[in-house]
């Protein structure tokens, strides 16, 4: 079975905000769109960072005010990303190795999508599990 390319896994357009938006605005967008991550971009749509639900929880636990905290102060700067031609297995491997659940898809420097763990098929997760098990036995 041929591996799916990331470009075919993308299910919707990415939700983006600029780094000067507040965490509260980002959380409102995440709630409205029922998503777990906001892509933070510059005026030309170039990826600068990613803000996730985990970041929001950390910010609140630290007692910071989401209405006054800017995304560029708390986002993950220069996040790992993939081109649309990357494979589903490569994206899953990147997520597993990095300990995150979202990967921005970037083409020519611009964000064209985002994929999350839930976007992949069971057999793709199974294949990653098999690969991981093989490396554990070898190592």
């Amino acid at each position: 079975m041929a591996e799916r390319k990331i470009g075919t896994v993308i299910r919707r357009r990415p939700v983006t905000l600029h780094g000067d938006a507040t965490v509260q605005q980002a959380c409102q967008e995440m709630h409205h769109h029922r998503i777990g991550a906001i892509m933070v971009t510059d005026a030309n749509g170039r990826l600068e960072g990613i803000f996730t639900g985990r970041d929001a929880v950390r910010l609140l636990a630290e007692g910071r005010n989401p209405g006054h905290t800017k995304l560029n102060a708390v986002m993950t700067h220069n996040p790992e990303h993939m081109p649309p031609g990357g494979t589903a297995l490569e994206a899953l491997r990147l997520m597993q190795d990095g300990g995150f659940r979202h990967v921005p898809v970037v083409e020519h420097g611009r964000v064209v999508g985002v994929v999350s763990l839930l976007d992949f098929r069971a057999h793709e997760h199974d294949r990653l599990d098999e690969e991981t098990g093989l490396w554990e036995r070898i190592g």
Side-chain angles (χ1 to χ4, degrees):
M1 176 179 280
E3 272 195 77
R4 286 194 305 163
K5 300 295 183 189
I6 292 301
T8 67
V9 176
I10 298 170
R11 295 179 3 189
R12 61 174 94 169
R13 293 178 49 88
V15 177
T16 63
L17 288 173
H18 296 294
D20 61 354
T22 66
V23 168
Q24 183 172 3
Q25 290 170 312
C27 289
Q28 288 168 339
E29 288 294 316
M30 290 165 64
H31 177 72
H32 174 75
H33 293 282
R34 304 177 116 193
I35 56 174
I38 294 286
M39 300 300 107
V40 183
T41 60
D42 66 13
N44 296 315
R46 296 193 179 279
L47 181 67
E48 292 185 330
I50 185 171
F51 179 81
T52 69
R54 287 179 175 177
D55 296 320
V57 169
R58 185 184 70 244
L59 175 120
L60 292 172
E62 293 170 354
R64 296 175 79 172
N65 184 329
H68 293 108
T69 304
K70 303 291 185 187
L71 288 179
N72 56 18
V74 294
M75 70 183 184
T76 299
H77 293 267
N78 303 312
E80 296 281 349
H81 59 276
M82 293 192 65
T87 67
L89 187 60
E90 289 170 330
L92 284 168
R93 192 179 304 125
L94 184 63
M95 287 184 219
Q96 181 179 23
D97 292 349
F100 42 83
R101 296 181 273 198
H102 299 88
V103 174
V105 180
V106 176
E107 187 171 39
H108 306 297
R110 300 190 66 180
V111 178
V112 296
V114 61
V115 292
S116 74
L117 280 175
L118 299 176
D119 293 331
F120 298 95
R121 296 177 180 154
H123 76 271
E124 291 163 339
H125 285 281
D126 291 344
R127 183 153 175 221
L128 179 64
D129 289 344
E130 289 172 17
E131 179 184 282
T132 301
L134 176 63
W135 283 112
E136 288 174 355
R137 286 191 297 278
I138 291 173

